[in-house]
Amino acid sequence: MRDSDKIAVGIIGASGYGGVQLVRLLLDHPKVEIVYLGGDSSAGKPYSELYPHLGHCFNLTIEPIDLDKVTSRCQVVFLGLPNGLACEIAPTLIEKGCKVLDLSADYRFSNLETYSAWYKKERSDRATAAMAVYGLPELYRDEIRQAQLIGCPGCYPTASLLALAPLLKQGLIVPETAIIDAKSGTSGGGRQAKTNLLLAEADNSLGAYGVTKHRHTPEIEQICSELAGHEIRVQFTPHLIPMVRGILSTVYATMRDPGLVREDLITIYTALYRSSPFIKVLPTGVYPQTKWACGTNLCYIGIEVDPRTDRVIVLSAIDNLIKGQSGQAIQCLNLMMGWQETLGLPQLSFYP
Amino acid sequence: MRDSDKIAVGIIGASGYGGVQLVRLLLDHPKVEIVYLGGDSSAGKPYSELYPHLGHCFNLTIEPIDLDKVTSRCQVVFLGLPNGLACEIAPTLIEKGCKVLDLSADYRFSNLETYSAWYKKERSDRATAAMAVYGLPELYRDEIRQAQLIGCPGCYPTASLLALAPLLKQGLIVPETAIIDAKSGTSGGGRQAKTNLLLAEADNSLGAYGVTKHRHTPEIEQICSELAGHEIRVQFTPHLIPMVRGILSTVYATMRDPGLVREDLITIYTALYRSSPFIKVLPTGVYPQTKWACGTNLCYIGIEVDPRTDRVIVLSAIDNLIKGQSGQAIQCLNLMMGWQETLGLPQLSFYP
Amino acid sequence: MRDSDKIAVGIIGASGYGGVQLVRLLLDHPKVEIVYLGGDSSAGKPYSELYPHLGHCFNLTIEPIDLDKVTSRCQVVFLGLPNGLACEIAPTLIEKGCKVLDLSADYRFSNLETYSAWYKKERSDRATAAMAVYGLPELYRDEIRQAQLIGCPGCYPTASLLALAPLLKQGLIVPETAIIDAKSGTSGGGRQAKTNLLLAEADNSLGAYGVTKHRHTPEIEQICSELAGHEIRVQFTPHLIPMVRGILSTVYATMRDPGLVREDLITIYTALYRSSPFIKVLPTGVYPQTKWACGTNLCYIGIEVDPRTDRVIVLSAIDNLIKGQSGQAIQCLNLMMGWQETLGLPQLSFYP
Amino acid sequence: MRDSDKIAVGIIGASGYGGVQLVRLLLDHPKVEIVYLGGDSSAGKPYSELYPHLGHCFNLTIEPIDLDKVTSRCQVVFLGLPNGLACEIAPTLIEKGCKVLDLSADYRFSNLETYSAWYKKERSDRATAAMAVYGLPELYRDEIRQAQLIGCPGCYPTASLLALAPLLKQGLIVPETAIIDAKSGTSGGGRQAKTNLLLAEADNSLGAYGVTKHRHTPEIEQICSELAGHEIRVQFTPHLIPMVRGILSTVYATMRDPGLVREDLITIYTALYRSSPFIKVLPTGVYPQTKWACGTNLCYIGIEVDPRTDRVIVLSAIDNLIKGQSGQAIQCLNLMMGWQETLGLPQLSFYP
């Protein structure tokens, strides 16, 4: 029998890395119980066949996706589906009263034309989309608290926006000069077997991809434009790093006021993130290592100013699968439910 | 002011990987508070200088080692010192009433001549050594409950003995045929900078070391002999693997009764480890991945029988720094204090 | 126009790692010119689309497999196809007078029943199979010189047999006690995208696979039986290591004469491999690192004797894609053509 | 007896990664023989004790540094010493008629005040320093041909300048907008044992270092200023990547003429590097992987233009220890001796 103090949660699209992170984190969450796993190609499989290490403590079987079942059993539904599928089922879930947290790109855009241009899919769920809130709590905490539908941010936008937001909000930089050089572990590419993500290919190597064309670009620009108060373009270049987890964003921008020193900026960041329990602004001269964030929902931020070039350089490190995906979704859930924001979310990495 | 429901714990030798694991695990432990960190070369440094990622939640400074201070402040002391140093200070700590858990080799041996032969150090603390219990709870749970001094097992012996113990206890193998081919991540070598542990040297490479001569050999043999009821020799070969954490032990032995099939052995292992919450015996045909155990105090065990050769092959996987070191020490502490054995110890890895 | 001093070589199945190693090595070979690449799914693609880094020096396009074309253009054909396909086309190639070097398992077995039992395929090419020579030059140099068809050894058998052969040849061990604990980088699994070979899965982890059932077992046993003079069974356990290239075989066996010391064995190995330019027997106390062999056709061998257990432990390290596959095939070709055995084969790794 | 067709070469400071690369490459060089290895802390050691994998083909012993011996035996001397030591001995070597190639920073700067400011060392060898040529053959080929003393470029400057030079030479960008986000494997940190370069620390992690302050900054600026025709400042940020070898430089700059498309730039780069055999400009849409360059003296360059931001993004990949260090030194030697520029330098990587 289900613990009556806990809310019933379902995950549709549970077989990938987003799914397994949700499962792992929710198993430790004191107010949630996973009652449903839904999938397509993996329907009928016990979850422990996909992830044997969980067999000792979790034995649900993945069920075919049946929205009636989902809505009758679950108060909250996480969607871990490929882009373009969530928007087919979210309207029904919303209508039946579920709270929905979508990990895909489908509900991240306030302008569906932008979505359609970058994701090559027409949308017919405008009313539902209009309800969605962008699930970055450090910027939209109040809106998330009231939301029924969350478009959870991409991993790169999470790291990049947390680094850039204070600069844009305070008008400290020339927005058009912003360049984001981002580096991600290969788990960001998902569990689908792709040749370029094989250890034999990706290990001991390094390269950029999607240069000038990565789909996280418009997502970053949407939020940056909102913060800057006018539409801006940012340069965003992702790189694949020979490691499993973690994103580092190195952000460059020209300062409006060249008189600022790094200590000023550390003070400003610290103040702006004072009520954000997962943001850790580092002291002078300390730059984040992605490993510090691994296995946690934290974002470490290091700040440097170059008086020779009048640029600010901000470095942000997150675990791409936790703060960059599933952990952040749970952080949003905590806010939606009126729980403590940090509930069930790890803050201590296992170093080394 | 210290939380009065918590016991006061000190760590002497806190700067290495054993120390930082203890700190990280104890910070999450509901009944323990770290009140003292002692060190020699690192004395005077704030702990966050050594491990900046902990700065946001832990700000003790490492103090010079002063046994009077330690014993006046701490009920429990963990020793994370190099081999040969614990035996100099444990007698004092014990005399003053502290419970002591030593991570080094100093209190692992019932026969101090064996220790002296392999570790090249004469011992003058026979009375103290005689009190020590070998801290492998799956084999010595009752003794640990009564102990004041624990000699915490080495990482290789932990993985190897958990794989071998049921075979020896039940008399299922010819003991002299036991061969342990063990593989460890490089964190087992500690945080001292050694050339062979540099990423540039160790990554994308693999080799054996200490062949026939590794100091964990007599430790494994001591316990195996005890289980077998007569003195035996085992073949133990450690290998350095290009990864951070994890040990896999591949154990080979000739079965006494060639009629046994793998399902029989899985049944026997499951039964013998039924009351051991951290041991996870895997189903037929599933072999452990070290990654499943990383970040946990678990030991996964997979079993195979080869009817062509009448051998049993047992595979055990642990996190060398948790079940192989600091986590196991805390498991012992839980038993010594009469707490639940699993208290504060993680059982879910972050996969992948 | 083709250089008339060079022989014309074709590769059927050139898209995988075996293929690209052949291409890379043959491009540096002074007496060979690649005139044909054949493939199925990759037919029509310029080779540089599969491997862009070669675009600057190699621009053949993969052609559909057409045996008439192959035999009319090529004196020598390398087959890099999946198991079970070479035996369909080798008879034609042989009949038309080509020399054939097959990288698959199809021509490794003197007993086709063994092949059929382990590879689940009936064979109708008995006459051709009877002509095949097992392509391990250190053991079958003379036979290879006379051969028209080579069954190139598997990667694990190469490392394991080079370690075991002197012991069996000289009758130094009890053959039935031989245990081979082998460790391989993930490139051994090929370029096909498989989930378990993804960097996100395989990196920072370690596990065994195919325990008691790996298909290289009967191949090792066939040669060991031949060397021992009677049929023997060996224990063979492969492990997947988080690195790209390299195999380490750790071989254990009980010595017949416990009086032998490691220096004796080093002398014996050195003598037996004196005319084998790629075998490097290491001095006392030095154990091979796989990285030393990477990018070369070398096999490093380290030897240890344990007087406590009367066992010998032999460690052998190779590059699985060169000495374990394509380099060894070229070594065979050199012998077949009467060229110097080392021609075009690298002997110096890029360390680190 | 020495091969009289070969020139006699010595290496002072041969124990580190620069040294072992030189040894490995020179062993394959048809016109060079290594006759002397000099060192300080490693004096008296056979080289194979430091690098056992070379024992089979190279058995020199490292000698104490004795300049008389060096100059009497060697026509060419490579210096692989820490910064600040080469300038103490190069004047003597030059005076005695040796050609000198220094891998350290000592002879890279035309302005010794810049050197002294960044490297904290006063210099008294102005006459010698004035003779030195910056050893980047793609930019200074003619000067190198005439030189007796080469200051070999740093690894980051090599990758960065090869990416930036055509843009600056042709006046295609606004120089002050140049941002270099560089990523290096850990072998760039040398073979000294440092905690942050341990596999346990550096693997599966990623971070920036030396932000705004790395010593390669003034070196890059010196050459960029020369190319631009006026003094400019560049933003340079190095990152440590969890891999052994390789550097990727991601270079951003604002174009003067926003009408240029990437094909234009590919044409320009191809033309400017037409006589540079080691530069491989990639076709449209292909971005370099560092692994393609590993084990070679090549530099792969990929180019992208972002019409949304009017920026050009250039990606360059090298092997930091070959094109970024020892290989480039040998390329310089080839030019100094009037040999073919590519002599003895590898152009084919072992992929994967």
Side-chain angles (χ1 to χ4, degrees):
Chain A
M1 232 196 71
R2 202 162 63 70
D3 184 337
S4 61
D5 289 348
K6 296 186 170 184
I7 64 157
V9 163
I11 304 170
I12 300 181
S15 62
Y17 289 147
V20 74
Q21 295 306 307
L22 279 173
V23 167
R24 190 256 171 266
L25 291 168
L26 293 174
L27 285 174
D28 263 0
H29 195 290
K31 300 217 176 187
V32 159
E33 184 174 355
I34 305 171
V35 300
Y36 173 87
L37 299 181
D40 216 7
S41 57
S42 55
K45 285 194 189 168
Y47 202 66
S48 63
E49 195 176 298
L50 299 178
Y51 295 103
H53 68 293
L54 292 176
H56 67 84
C57 61
F58 185 67
N59 54 16
L60 284 191
T61 290
I62 299 177
E63 303 178 42
I65 302 172
D66 174 334
L67 295 191
D68 284 342
K69 269 196 197 162
V70 177
T71 53
S72 71
R73 287 200 234 154
C74 304
Q75 295 164 260
V76 172
V77 182
F78 291 91
L79 301 178
L81 298 164
N83 296 320
L85 296 186
C87 61
E88 306 284 350
I89 64 178
T92 306
L93 297 172
I94 292 292
E95 193 190 346
K96 296 290 178 70
C98 291
K99 292 185 196 298
V100 176
L101 299 108
D102 176 29
L103 301 185
S104 85
D106 286 12
Y107 291 104
R108 295 175 189 162
F109 290 88
S110 53
N111 183 335
L112 286 187
E113 277 62 51
T114 307
Y115 173 87
S116 293
W118 287 78
Y119 288 87
K120 313 292 173 204
K121 181 179 171 85
E122 290 310 308
R123 292 285 290 273
S124 56
D125 58 330
R126 289 183 181 271
T128 307
M131 299 170 56
V133 172
Y134 190 72
L136 192 59
E138 287 74 14
L139 297 183
Y140 301 99
R141 190 170 280 113
D142 291 339
E143 295 85 340
I144 292 166
R145 282 201 177 97
Q146 314 300 327
Q148 193 190 347
L149 171 60
I150 301 289
C152 297
C155 50
Y156 285 124
T158 296
S160 305
L161 292 168
L162 292 173
L164 261 173
L167 299 174
L168 290 167
K169 253 189 179 166
Q170 302 298 100
L172 300 172
I173 57 167
V174 185
E176 288 69 25
T177 62
I179 290 179
I180 300 163
D181 190 282
K183 297 100 177 161
S184 173
T186 69
S187 64
R191 210 191 196 195
Q192 289 77 32
K194 297 176 199 155
T195 300
N196 70 317
L197 300 180
L198 289 174
L199 187 144
E201 300 280 321
D203 193 36
N204 259 277
S205 197
L206 168 67
Y209 66 102
V211 183
T212 74
K213 295 172 194 64
H214 193 280
R215 287 166 163 186
H216 284 174
T217 308
E219 187 182 332
I220 297 170
E221 288 180 345
Q222 165 181 285
I223 310 299
C224 284
S225 298
E226 212 176 300
L227 293 168
H230 65 280
E231 196 155 321
I232 65 167
R233 299 258 162 98
V234 300
Q235 196 73 51
F236 169 66
T237 310
H239 298 75
L240 201 60
I241 302 296
M243 63 183 190
V244 178
R245 301 170 84 120
I247 284 181
L248 185 80
S249 270
T250 310
V251 176
Y252 302 87
T254 299
M255 295 190 297
R256 279 196 208 281
D257 173 1
L260 288 179
V261 297
R262 61 184 179 179
E263 285 72 16
D264 298 329
L265 289 171
I266 290 173
T267 303
I268 292 168
Y269 272 69
T270 304
L272 284 176
Y273 284 132
R274 196 175 306 282
S275 59
S276 290
F278 293 112
I279 310 296
K280 305 299 174 192
V281 181
L282 292 164
T284 299
V286 181
Y287 312 131
Q289 290 289 327
T290 57
K291 193 184 278 194
W292 298 350
C294 275
T296 80
N297 199 51
L298 300 181
C299 176
Y300 285 93
I301 295 180
I303 301 161
E304 195 59 70
V305 164
D306 193 344
R308 301 168 71 257
T309 63
D310 296 336
R311 285 204 192 87
V312 56
I313 297 142
V314 186
L315 298 142
S316 61
I318 62 168
D319 183 322
N320 59 310
L321 298 177
I322 301 186
K323 182 59 179 168
Q325 190 185 46
S326 303
Q328 185 152 264
I330 294 171
Q331 186 183 354
C332 289
L333 176 65
N334 287 343
L335 291 168
M336 292 161 86
M337 301 301 296
W339 300 331
Q340 198 187 349
E341 190 170 338
T342 55
L343 206 64
L345 289 168
Q347 299 195 49
L348 283 172
S349 89
F350 285 97
Y351 189 91
Chain B
M1 231 196 73
R2 201 161 63 71
D3 182 336
S4 61
D5 289 348
K6 297 188 171 185
I7 62 157
V9 162
I11 304 171
I12 300 181
S15 62
Y17 290 147
V20 74
Q21 296 305 307
L22 279 173
V23 167
R24 190 255 171 265
L25 291 168
L26 293 175
L27 285 173
D28 263 359
H29 195 290
K31 300 217 177 188
V32 160
E33 184 174 356
I34 305 171
V35 301
Y36 172 87
L37 299 181
D40 216 6
S41 56
S42 53
K45 285 193 189 169
Y47 202 67
S48 63
E49 194 176 301
L50 300 178
Y51 295 103
H53 68 293
L54 293 176
H56 67 87
C57 62
F58 184 67
N59 55 17
L60 283 192
T61 290
I62 299 178
E63 305 178 41
I65 302 173
D66 174 333
L67 295 191
D68 284 341
K69 270 196 195 161
V70 177
T71 54
S72 71
R73 287 200 234 154
C74 304
Q75 296 164 260
V76 171
V77 181
F78 290 92
L79 302 178
L81 298 164
N83 297 318
L85 296 185
C87 60
E88 308 282 353
I89 64 177
T92 305
L93 298 172
I94 291 293
E95 193 190 347
K96 295 287 179 72
C98 291
K99 292 185 195 297
V100 176
L101 299 107
D102 175 29
L103 302 185
S104 84
D106 286 13
Y107 291 104
R108 295 176 189 162
F109 291 88
S110 53
N111 183 334
L112 287 187
E113 276 64 49
T114 307
Y115 173 88
S116 293
W118 287 80
Y119 289 87
K120 312 293 171 204
K121 181 178 170 89
E122 291 310 308
R123 293 285 289 273
S124 55
D125 57 330
R126 288 181 183 271
T128 307
M131 300 171 56
V133 171
Y134 190 72
L136 192 59
E138 287 74 17
L139 298 182
Y140 301 100
R141 190 171 280 113
D142 292 339
E143 294 85 340
I144 292 166
R145 281 200 177 101
Q146 314 302 327
Q148 194 191 346
L149 170 60
I150 301 289
C152 296
C155 51
Y156 285 124
T158 295
S160 305
L161 292 169
L162 292 173
L164 262 174
L167 300 174
L168 290 167
K169 253 189 178 165
Q170 300 299 98
L172 299 172
I173 57 167
V174 183
E176 288 70 23
T177 63
I179 291 178
I180 300 163
D181 190 282
K183 296 101 178 161
S184 173
T186 68
S187 63
R191 209 190 195 194
Q192 289 77 30
K194 298 175 198 156
T195 301
N196 69 317
L197 300 179
L198 290 173
L199 188 145
E201 301 279 319
D203 193 36
N204 260 277
S205 197
L206 169 67
Y209 66 103
V211 184
T212 76
K213 294 174 194 64
H214 193 280
R215 286 167 164 185
H216 284 174
T217 308
E219 187 181 333
I220 297 171
E221 288 180 345
Q222 165 180 286
I223 309 299
C224 284
S225 299
E226 210 176 302
L227 293 167
H230 65 281
E231 196 156 320
I232 65 167
R233 298 260 161 95
V234 300
Q235 196 74 52
F236 169 67
T237 311
H239 298 75
L240 201 61
I241 302 296
M243 63 184 191
V244 178
R245 298 169 85 119
I247 285 180
L248 186 79
S249 271
T250 309
V251 176
Y252 302 88
T254 299
M255 295 190 296
R256 278 195 209 281
D257 173 1
L260 289 177
V261 298
R262 61 183 178 180
E263 285 73 15
D264 298 330
L265 288 172
I266 290 174
T267 304
I268 292 168
Y269 271 70
T270 305
L272 283 176
Y273 284 130
R274 196 175 305 281
S275 58
S276 289
F278 293 113
I279 310 296
K280 305 300 175 190
V281 181
L282 292 163
T284 299
V286 181
Y287 312 130
Q289 290 287 330
T290 55
K291 194 184 276 194
W292 298 350
C294 276
T296 79
N297 200 49
L298 300 180
C299 176
Y300 286 94
I301 295 180
I303 301 161
E304 195 59 69
V305 164
D306 194 342
R308 302 168 70 258
T309 62
D310 296 336
R311 285 204 191 88
V312 56
I313 297 140
V314 186
L315 298 141
S316 61
I318 63 168
D319 183 322
N320 58 310
L321 298 178
I322 302 187
K323 182 59 179 168
Q325 191 184 45
S326 304
Q328 185 153 262
I330 294 171
Q331 186 183 354
C332 289
L333 176 65
N334 287 342
L335 291 168
M336 292 162 86
M337 302 300 296
W339 301 331
Q340 199 186 347
E341 189 171 339
T342 55
L343 205 66
L345 289 168
Q347 298 196 49
L348 283 170
S349 89
F350 286 97
Y351 189 91
Chain C
M1 231 195 72
R2 201 162 62 71
D3 182 337
S4 60
D5 289 348
K6 297 187 170 185
I7 64 159
V9 162
I11 304 170
I12 301 181
S15 62
Y17 290 146
V20 74
Q21 296 306 307
L22 279 173
V23 168
R24 190 254 171 267
L25 291 169
L26 293 175
L27 285 174
D28 262 359
H29 195 291
K31 301 217 176 188
V32 160
E33 184 174 355
I34 305 171
V35 300
Y36 172 87
L37 298 181
D40 215 6
S41 57
S42 54
K45 285 193 190 168
Y47 201 67
S48 63
E49 196 175 298
L50 299 178
Y51 295 102
H53 68 295
L54 293 177
H56 66 87
C57 61
F58 185 67
N59 55 15
L60 284 190
T61 289
I62 299 177
E63 304 178 42
I65 301 172
D66 176 334
L67 295 191
D68 284 341
K69 269 196 197 161
V70 177
T71 54
S72 72
R73 286 202 234 154
C74 304
Q75 295 164 259
V76 171
V77 181
F78 291 91
L79 301 178
L81 298 164
N83 296 319
L85 296 185
C87 60
E88 307 282 353
I89 64 177
T92 305
L93 297 172
I94 291 292
E95 195 192 344
K96 297 286 179 74
C98 292
K99 291 184 196 298
V100 176
L101 298 108
D102 176 29
L103 302 185
S104 85
D106 286 13
Y107 292 105
R108 294 175 190 162
F109 291 87
S110 53
N111 183 336
L112 287 187
E113 276 63 51
T114 307
Y115 174 87
S116 294
W118 287 79
Y119 287 87
K120 313 291 172 205
K121 179 176 173 87
E122 290 310 308
R123 291 286 290 274
S124 56
D125 58 331
R126 282 176 191 274
T128 306
M131 299 171 54
V133 172
Y134 190 72
L136 192 58
E138 287 74 15
L139 298 182
Y140 301 100
R141 190 170 281 113
D142 292 337
E143 294 85 341
I144 291 166
R145 283 202 175 99
Q146 313 301 327
Q148 193 190 346
L149 171 59
I150 301 289
C152 297
C155 52
Y156 285 125
T158 296
S160 305
L161 292 168
L162 292 173
L164 261 173
L167 299 174
L168 289 167
K169 255 190 177 163
Q170 302 298 98
L172 299 172
I173 57 166
V174 184
E176 289 70 24
T177 62
I179 290 179
I180 300 162
D181 191 283
K183 298 100 178 161
S184 173
T186 69
S187 63
R191 210 190 195 195
Q192 289 76 32
K194 297 175 198 154
T195 301
N196 71 315
L197 300 180
L198 289 173
L199 188 145
E201 300 278 321
D203 192 37
N204 259 278
S205 197
L206 169 68
Y209 67 102
V211 184
T212 77
K213 293 173 196 63
H214 193 278
R215 287 166 163 188
H216 283 175
T217 309
E219 188 182 332
I220 297 170
E221 288 180 346
Q222 165 180 286
I223 309 300
C224 285
S225 299
E226 212 176 299
L227 292 168
H230 66 280
E231 195 156 321
I232 64 168
R233 298 260 162 94
V234 300
Q235 196 74 52
F236 169 66
T237 309
H239 298 76
L240 202 61
I241 302 296
M243 64 184 189
V244 178
R245 301 169 84 118
I247 284 181
L248 186 79
S249 270
T250 310
V251 175
Y252 302 88
T254 300
M255 295 190 296
R256 278 197 211 279
D257 173 0
L260 289 177
V261 298
R262 60 183 179 180
E263 285 72 16
D264 298 329
L265 289 171
I266 290 174
T267 303
I268 292 169
Y269 272 68
T270 303
L272 283 175
Y273 284 132
R274 196 176 306 280
S275 59
S276 289
F278 292 113
I279 310 297
K280 306 300 174 191
V281 181
L282 292 163
T284 299
V286 181
Y287 312 130
Q289 290 288 328
T290 57
K291 192 184 279 192
W292 298 349
C294 274
T296 79
N297 199 50
L298 300 181
C299 176
Y300 286 93
I301 295 180
I303 301 162
E304 195 58 71
V305 164
D306 194 343
R308 302 168 71 255
T309 63
D310 295 336
R311 285 203 191 88
V312 56
I313 298 141
V314 186
L315 298 142
S316 61
I318 62 169
D319 183 321
N320 58 310
L321 298 177
I322 302 185
K323 182 60 179 166
Q325 192 184 44
S326 304
Q328 185 153 260
I330 293 170
Q331 187 183 353
C332 288
L333 177 64
N334 287 342
L335 292 168
M336 292 161 86
M337 301 301 296
W339 300 331
Q340 198 186 349
E341 188 170 339
T342 55
L343 206 66
L345 289 169
Q347 298 195 49
L348 283 171
S349 89
F350 285 97
Y351 189 91
Chain D
M1 230 195 73
R2 202 162 62 72
D3 183 337
S4 60
D5 289 349
K6 297 187 170 184
I7 62 157
V9 162
I11 304 170
I12 300 181
S15 61
Y17 290 147
V20 74
Q21 297 305 308
L22 279 174
V23 167
R24 191 255 172 264
L25 290 168
L26 293 175
L27 285 175
D28 263 359
H29 195 290
K31 301 217 178 189
V32 160
E33 184 175 354
I34 305 172
V35 300
Y36 172 87
L37 299 181
D40 215 6
S41 56
S42 53
K45 285 194 190 169
Y47 202 66
S48 63
E49 194 176 299
L50 300 178
Y51 295 102
H53 69 293
L54 292 177
H56 66 85
C57 61
F58 185 67
N59 54 16
L60 283 191
T61 290
I62 299 178
E63 304 178 42
I65 302 173
D66 175 335
L67 294 191
D68 283 339
K69 270 196 196 163
V70 177
T71 53
S72 70
R73 287 201 234 153
C74 305
Q75 294 165 262
V76 172
V77 181
F78 291 93
L79 302 178
L81 299 163
N83 296 319
L85 296 186
C87 60
E88 307 282 352
I89 65 178
T92 305
L93 297 172
I94 291 293
E95 193 191 347
K96 296 288 178 73
C98 291
K99 292 184 194 298
V100 176
L101 299 109
D102 175 29
L103 302 185
S104 85
D106 286 12
Y107 291 104
R108 295 175 189 161
F109 291 88
S110 52
N111 183 336
L112 287 187
E113 276 63 49
T114 307
Y115 173 88
S116 294
W118 287 79
Y119 288 86
K120 312 293 172 204
K121 181 179 171 88
E122 291 310 311
R123 292 285 289 273
S124 55
D125 57 331
R126 285 181 185 272
T128 307
M131 299 169 56
V133 171
Y134 190 71
L136 192 59
E138 288 73 17
L139 298 182
Y140 301 99
R141 190 171 281 113
D142 293 338
E143 294 84 340
I144 292 167
R145 281 202 177 100
Q146 314 302 327
Q148 193 191 347
L149 170 60
I150 300 290
C152 296
C155 51
Y156 285 124
T158 296
S160 305
L161 292 169
L162 292 173
L164 261 174
L167 300 174
L168 289 167
K169 255 190 177 165
Q170 302 298 99
L172 299 172
I173 57 167
V174 184
E176 289 70 23
T177 63
I179 290 178
I180 301 163
D181 190 283
K183 297 99 176 162
S184 172
T186 69
S187 63
R191 210 189 194 195
Q192 288 77 30
K194 298 176 199 154
T195 300
N196 70 318
L197 300 180
L198 289 174
L199 188 145
E201 300 280 320
D203 193 37
N204 259 277
S205 198
L206 170 67
Y209 66 102
V211 184
T212 76
K213 294 173 194 63
H214 194 279
R215 288 168 163 184
H216 284 174
T217 307
E219 187 182 333
I220 297 171
E221 289 180 345
Q222 165 180 286
I223 310 299
C224 285
S225 298
E226 211 177 300
L227 292 167
H230 64 281
E231 196 155 322
I232 65 167
R233 298 260 162 95
V234 300
Q235 196 74 50
F236 169 67
T237 311
H239 298 75
L240 201 61
I241 303 295
M243 63 184 190
V244 178
R245 298 170 85 119
I247 283 180
L248 186 79
S249 269
T250 309
V251 175
Y252 303 87
T254 299
M255 295 189 297
R256 279 197 208 279
D257 173 1
L260 289 178
V261 298
R262 59 183 179 179
E263 285 73 15
D264 299 330
L265 288 171
I266 289 173
T267 303
I268 292 169
Y269 271 68
T270 304
L272 283 176
Y273 284 131
R274 196 174 307 280
S275 59
S276 289
F278 293 113
I279 309 296
K280 305 300 174 191
V281 180
L282 292 163
T284 299
V286 181
Y287 312 131
Q289 291 287 328
T290 56
K291 193 185 279 194
W292 298 349
C294 275
T296 81
N297 199 50
L298 300 180
C299 177
Y300 286 94
I301 295 180
I303 302 161
E304 195 59 74
V305 164
D306 193 343
R308 302 168 72 258
T309 63
D310 296 335
R311 285 204 191 87
V312 56
I313 297 139
V314 186
L315 298 141
S316 61
I318 63 168
D319 182 323
N320 58 310
L321 297 178
I322 301 187
K323 181 61 178 166
Q325 191 184 44
S326 304
Q328 184 152 263
I330 294 171
Q331 186 183 353
C332 290
L333 176 65
N334 288 342
L335 291 168
M336 291 161 86
M337 301 300 298
W339 300 332
Q340 197 185 351
E341 188 169 341
T342 56
L343 205 66
L345 289 169
Q347 299 197 48
L348 283 171
S349 90
F350 285 97
Y351 188 92

